[in-house]
Amino acid sequence: MSLALSGNPGWPALTGPLRRHWPLLPLAGTVLLLLAPLPAGDATASGKVGPADAASLLLVFVCAVQALRGRVRALSPLGALVLGLPAVGLAVATVTAGDPYAALPGFVRYLQVFVLVPAAVVLLVRDAREFRIAAGCFVVLALFQGAVGVLQYATHTGASYQGEDIRAVGTFGPGDVMGMATVVAYGLVIATAAALAPGLPARVRRIAGGCALVLVVPLVLSFSRGAWIATLGAAVLVMALAGVRRALKVLVALTAAGVVLVGGFGIGSEMVAERLTSITQVSSAPDQSVTDRYTMWAAAESMWRERPAAGVGLKGFPAHRDGHSSLALSSGSDTAGAGQAYLRQPLLSPHNMYLLVLSEQGLIGLAALAGGWAALLVAGVRRYASDGSARGIRDCGLIAIGMLVWQLTDFLYADIGGPSTVLTGVIVGLAAWWALPSPDDTGPVASPVAGPAAGRAAAGADGR
């Protein structure tokens, strides 16, 4: 068998890229294993360790092994500070919690998502080509989950929404209605950035633009107001960075697609219009979900005022919620459909990442986490605007900035939870890869149209 393979002239062409990029396999697995569906009817599965989480642990392990062998990118002191500082806030919140043992699972989860996975991504993604491979995995995931979501809407097999099983949730199920909306939004932002990116081949930009248009449909059918707002904000910033002329073309195309789909074909037109209207009625005539969210926001603020420095401890919000909430808070949210019977889901978080961190980790944790995210955003935009040496990889900058802005905006309406949480760590890692360049980041692989010869030369130059 080995002789046959060695005699096959095409085999080296296949094994060459695999040998060169094999550390990316756990990273691709972390994203693409979210294609696997959750067990039907298990609404609690979103809180368990899934295949994507296992792949992220393998990613961290591979990074540690490669670091011991000296085969990772060099990390600047600023990069080490930004990526490592959240661990300090997490440790303080865990040690000072009323029950440190109960807080320990939260410490591990936060460490995984906001420290270990981002650091592994920064250290293992060696060049722009590998960055694009990672970003491409997000688009593949988005297209698959979006197709499942559209099918759910068309066949009335989705999650329950206003008495009908039409809400697109992909394979995540009704217990994690934000899962599909999140991954589809990631793919839409990445595809939009690639369609606008200067320097990419025209064929790549056209394919990316087509993917962006297709992904508008499942995002609309997710009926997720927070995902809509975050996607709009990220897309507008990406268009502004790419230039007015390019932005207008994409904006016209996306608007035309929305008008045709919702206005012409009537895809969810009444429900979409009602959902859009509800965004402006959050104070005058809020529905119960909005009332619950505001009540939990007030509870999180009350917890912080009680313990402003270190918060009530990781995983402490559910235990302290009732003591800080008003009677307006309901007992939970109703979930059903997509293969699951009716179930009442408890409200265990404030659905605002910043308030969740503030209530559980206090000012110390919020400064460490949100301060690092703000530093990445500022450094990323600054590099995109002024770094002439990064001109050949500006598509990576657009993608990184767009995804980070989406995540930071979405955190105003959501927090971590569910299988797609691990993707947050990958997003932060890719944003850090762009915003905090390594001293090693100079080489011919930076060009988006570099051929195989350039890739082989670069691989030889860095000793890999």
Side-chain angles (χ1 to χ4, degrees), residues 355-384:
L355 289 177
L356 177 63
V357 173
L358 190 64
S359 63
E360 293 189 340
Q361 302 178 46
L363 288 174
I364 296 175
L366 184 65
L369 273 173
W373 301 334
L376 291 180
L377 180 58
V378 172
V381 173
R382 183 176 181 181
R383 185 186 183 197
Y384 184 87

Side-chain angles (χ1 to χ4, degrees), residues 179-190:
M180 190 216 72
T182 297
V183 301
V184 166
Y186 285 152
L188 177 55
V189 171
I190 291 171

Side-chain angles (χ1 to χ4, degrees), residues 134-160:
C137 290
F138 278 90
V139 178
V140 171
L141 174 63
L143 290 171
F144 175 84
Q145 291 289 356
V148 174
V150 172
L151 182 63
Q152 288 171 334
Y153 175 84
T155 58
H156 285 65
T157 55
S160 178

Side-chain angles (χ1 to χ4, degrees), residues 241-278:
L241 291 174
V244 176
R245 184 175 299 178
R246 290 177 181 270
L248 286 176
K249 292 180 181 178
V250 174
L251 188 60
V252 168
L254 291 175
T255 303
V259 170
V260 171
L261 291 171
V262 178
F265 295 114
I267 297 181
S269 55
E270 293 183 7
M271 293 183 177
V272 170
E274 181 181 339
R275 199 67 167 165
L276 287 171
T277 304
S278 69

